[in-house]
Amino acid sequence: MGVLNVTPDSFSDGGRFSDPDQAIAVGLTMWDDGADIVDVGGESTRPGSDGVDAATEIDRVLPVVSALAAGGVAVSIDTSKPEVAAAALDAGAVVVNDVTAFSDVAMAQVAASSGCGVVLMHMLGEPRTMQQEPTYGDVVQEVRDHLVGRAADVIAAGVDPFHIALDPGIGFGKTVDHNLRLLSEGVRTLAATGHPVLVGASRKSFLGAITGEAEAAERAPETIAAHALAIAAGASIIRTHDVAFGVRSSLVATAIVRGVVEQ
């Protein structure tokens, strides 16, 4: 899954692709580089960020979603607003990726009526405050229980259980230690639920805390390592800014795990 933020303030690429034509070109390049999904987001969810209204978000994402879908790209809409999701699905998106795990009950109705794919992500609190001393008793168990509960709720609302992927929410209300535990233990625990697991560690600050790399855009090696180990633990999808590197490294990781080279 390629990350395509059409926002002015995302943590790594904010403002780079706010021009729709530029964003469309980048999305097509991601697709050509081997992305299976291009995830388009119009609202920053970086730590400390403030939200935007649905109309603004729709204005940002719709031209990009429409053009990419028309070009044959499998598009995911990264949003927590049902009206944004509905507009994007109408424009050709095929997945809804929600950092609040469908906390708005209307989101499940939108997804159920469209038959789209669903990504439920764990987040402690909200983006504006999530990194203010996040605390868990057992982060692996609490993240698992929350996501399994949210999956049960959306299934009850009519979403096909085979359309649901789970995301532990690396960096969303977690310390460095929490992120490491989720990657070393949590991915395997979530994979055991039977739902595909998505991991998005791309360029995140905990990686820089480990290696000392302050520039998010320079954390490609860190991202590759984290995602390769997530695949070894059972992740089915990686969400990355650097698609070409992500595709090549995931092919190697998958070949080692499965003992088979994918054709």
Side-chain angles (χ1 to χ4, degrees):
M1 177 183 278
V3 180
L4 184 56
N5 291 317
V6 289
T7 60
D9 55 347
S10 291
F11 84 95
S12 175
D13 53 3
R16 290 189 60 199
F17 311 128
S18 53
D19 175 73
D21 289 338
Q22 184 182 25
I24 292 162
V26 171
L28 291 171
T29 298
M30 289 180 174
W31 188 249
D32 289 342
D33 284 343
D36 296 295
I37 308 166
V38 175
D39 192 40
V40 178
E43 179 181 45
S44 175
T45 52
R46 63 177 173 78
S49 62
D50 293 318
V52 299
D53 59 75
T56 298
E57 196 174 336
I58 288 171
D59 285 346
R60 289 175 178 175
V61 302
L62 216 56
V64 180
V65 171
S66 298
L68 291 179
V73 177
V75 178
S76 170
I77 180 66
D78 178 1
T79 187
S80 59
K81 299 182 180 69
E83 52 268 59
V84 177
L89 291 167
D90 286 344
V94 294
V95 176
V96 175
N97 178 19
D98 183 358
V99 298
T100 72
F102 283 34
S103 62
D104 188 324
V105 295
M107 189 69 94
Q109 297 164 0
V110 169
S113 63
S114 73
C116 66
V118 166
V119 180
L120 304 176
M121 196 198 81
H122 178 276
M123 175 171 57
L124 186 66
E126 59 180 6
R128 188 171 58 85
T129 60
M130 64 186 179
Q131 288 304 108
Q132 296 176 6
E133 299 183 6
T135 302
Y136 299 86
D138 183 331
V139 67
V140 170
Q141 192 64 41
E142 290 176 41
V143 167
R144 179 204 177 277
D145 290 350
H146 175 78
L147 290 177
V148 168
R150 295 305 303 133
D153 289 342
V154 301
I155 290 167
V159 173
D160 188 328
F162 293 102
H163 291 181
I164 299 171
L166 305 180
D167 179 350
I170 301 300
F172 283 78
K174 282 93 177 177
T175 65
V176 173
D177 287 345
H178 294 147
N179 291 322
L180 295 177
R181 275 207 66 203
L182 287 170
L183 288 167
S184 62
E185 303 173 41
V187 172
R188 201 175 307 278
T189 299
L190 288 175
T193 68
H195 293 289
V197 177
L198 182 153
V199 170
S202 185
R203 300 183 179 178
K204 290 189 174 175
S205 60
F206 84 100
L207 299 172
I210 296 169
T211 66
E213 177 53 68
E215 294 296 326
E218 299 301 319
R219 295 176 189 148
E222 292 92 331
T223 298
I224 289 168
H227 284 165
L229 290 169
I231 291 168
S236 299
I237 309 163
I238 60 168
R239 183 178 183 273
T240 183
H241 297 83
D242 302 299
V243 168
F245 288 157
V247 168
R248 288 159 57 188
S249 58
S250 66
L251 284 171
V252 173
T254 302
I256 293 170
V257 170
R258 297 181 181 174
V260 176
V261 177
E262 292 186 349
Q263 300 299 321

